[in-house]
Amino acid sequence: MTNQAAIRERAVAAGLILSMIGGVAFMIAYAKQAAIQWQGLGLCAAFAGLLIAALGWARWVLPYEQVVDLRDTYPQPEEEREQMVEAYEHGMAELTRRRWLVRLLYGAAGILGLAALFPVGSLGPQPDDTLFHTRWKRGVRLQRADGALVKEDDLNVDGIITVFPEGSIGDSQSMTVLLRLPDGVGKNTLGGLIAYSKMCTHAGCPVALYRAADQRLVCPCHQSAFDAANDAQVIDGPADHALPRLPLQISSDGFVEAAGDFPSPVGPGFWEER
């Protein structure tokens, strides 16, 4: 093998090794949750090395020859038979000599394939029915953001607080507004207490404002308004359906509890929302 051929094969091998190093670097960066730039640099090195190896293999390793299929004549001359044996032995020698390149190629392809499996971990758990249900269940007590549990007489008329399921403070999907309506206002209240999802049905913003003069809940993002005395029906703004209402009950020791989950999905409408 000439020096030039050896240099070319080493260049192909260098490309494959670079690809392997880049693949390993990407896996390490991904596992350690390093900056996306480091992950991209690893992938760039992996594919660049593979590209260099592929171009070098096609240009320098694969033989350039024109083959003509001649009609055989029998018996073949002794000289032709010797040439065929020599060509066969030369081909076997080339195959044996370049076997290490093939092994490097398999190694680079295997590492790159393994690296491609790493992002599967980012898919996370299956959503199951989490879009349709919150953490509210029958018997779960209402808890303020400061950790205090809500009792039946904690709210004055027209008072309003934000509550969560006990033990789930900060869960945005379960975030709820609890208010007390004046006597004779609203239907099926619990001594004036009524609760609605705080997630606006337009764009998911928190419905953070309440105007006691007309029992109106208002979302400050896009000014959707809901009638708290009438099952939070939309009375103004871009929202297209009411805020889901949380059923309530009072425990034997006077704490306000959920009597179940919201009857419909909270937040903006989606393909299952009617």
Side-chain angles (χ1 to χ4, degrees), residues 31 62 69 78 106 136 138 152 169 179 191 195 201 212 228 240 255:
L62 294 178
D69 189 11
E78 185 70 25
Y106 287 158
W136 289 110
R138 185 177 183 85
E152 182 179 8
I169 295 175
L179 59 149
T201 54
D240 60 0
F255 289 102

Side-chain angles (χ1 to χ4, degrees), residues 101-158:
L101 276 181
V102 176
R103 289 174 180 170
L104 275 179
L105 176 62
Y106 287 158
I111 289 176
L112 198 59
L114 183 62
L117 296 178
F118 269 59
V120 174
S122 296
L123 296 178
Q126 294 183 355
D128 297 326
D129 60 352
T130 54
L131 292 175
F132 302 89
H133 299 286
T134 68
R135 297 185 181 181
W136 289 110
K137 295 179 181 178
R138 185 177 183 85
V140 174
R141 295 185 293 184
L142 278 61
Q143 191 171 33
R144 300 171 185 255
D146 61 4
L149 297 174
V150 179
K151 285 199 168 184
E152 182 179 8
D153 55 356
D154 281 354
L155 263 72
N156 296 323
V157 174
D158 289 327

Side-chain angles (χ1 to χ4, degrees), residues 20-171:
M20 296 167 71
I21 293 173
V24 171
F26 166 76
M27 289 188 283
I28 293 174
Y30 188 90
K32 291 187 175 182
Q33 297 184 347
I36 193 68
Q37 291 84 353
W38 290 110
Q39 299 178 33
L41 185 61
L43 282 180
C44 181
F47 284 110
L50 203 59
L51 177 62
I52 292 170
L55 292 175
W57 200 297
R59 186 172 180 83
W60 298 325
V61 176
L62 294 178
Y64 286 90
E65 59 180 338
Q66 183 175 2
V67 178
V68 179
D69 189 11
L70 299 176
R71 181 178 296 177
D72 293 332
T73 57
Y74 297 96
Q76 287 180 318
E78 185 70 25
E79 182 181 351
E80 289 185 8
R81 280 184 282 179
E82 291 176 356
Q83 290 176 354
M84 290 179 61
V85 172
E86 183 181 351
Y88 173 77
E89 292 177 348
H90 176 74
M92 289 300 296
E94 288 287 314
L95 182 61
T96 302
R97 180 169 56 82
R98 290 170 179 164
R99 188 172 295 168
W100 66 281
L101 276 181
V102 176
R103 289 174 180 170
L104 275 179
L105 176 62
Y106 287 158
I111 289 176
L112 198 59
L114 183 62
L117 296 178
F118 269 59
V120 174
S122 296
L123 296 178
Q126 294 183 355
D128 297 326
D129 60 352
T130 54
L131 292 175
F132 302 89
H133 299 286
T134 68
R135 297 185 181 181
W136 289 110
K137 295 179 181 178
R138 185 177 183 85
V140 174
R141 295 185 293 184
L142 278 61
Q143 191 171 33
R144 300 171 185 255
D146 61 4
L149 297 174
V150 179
K151 285 199 168 184
E152 182 179 8
D153 55 356
D154 281 354
L155 263 72
N156 296 323
V157 174
D158 289 327
I160 181 171
I161 56 174
T162 298
V163 294
F164 300 90
E166 184 178 6
S168 299
I169 295 175
D171 182 63

Side-chain angles (χ1 to χ4, degrees), residues 134-245:
T134 68
R135 297 185 181 181
W136 289 110
K137 295 179 181 178
R138 185 177 183 85
V140 174
R141 295 185 293 184
L142 278 61
Q143 191 171 33
R144 300 171 185 255
D146 61 4
L149 297 174
V150 179
K151 285 199 168 184
E152 182 179 8
D153 55 356
D154 281 354
L155 263 72
N156 296 323
V157 174
D158 289 327
I160 181 171
I161 56 174
T162 298
V163 294
F164 300 90
E166 184 178 6
S168 299
I169 295 175
D171 182 63
S172 59
Q173 194 173 8
S174 304
M175 185 167 51
T176 303
V177 288
L178 175 70
L179 59 149
R180 185 184 292 277
L181 299 175
D183 292 340
V185 177
K187 299 178 295 182
N188 301 320
T189 66
L190 187 66
L193 292 176
I194 196 166
Y196 296 106
S197 168
K198 194 171 181 177
M199 190 179 296
C200 182
T201 54
H202 170 235
C205 297
V207 180
L209 304 178
Y210 177 63
R211 194 167 72 179
D214 53 3
Q215 292 81 46
R216 177 178 295 200
L217 288 164
V218 181
C219 175
C221 292
H222 305 99
Q223 303 305 309
S224 292
F226 306 89
D227 186 356
N230 186 27
D231 288 330
Q233 294 298 319
V234 180
I235 54 179
D236 199 5
D240 60 0
H241 61 284
L243 298 173
R245 178 173 173 177

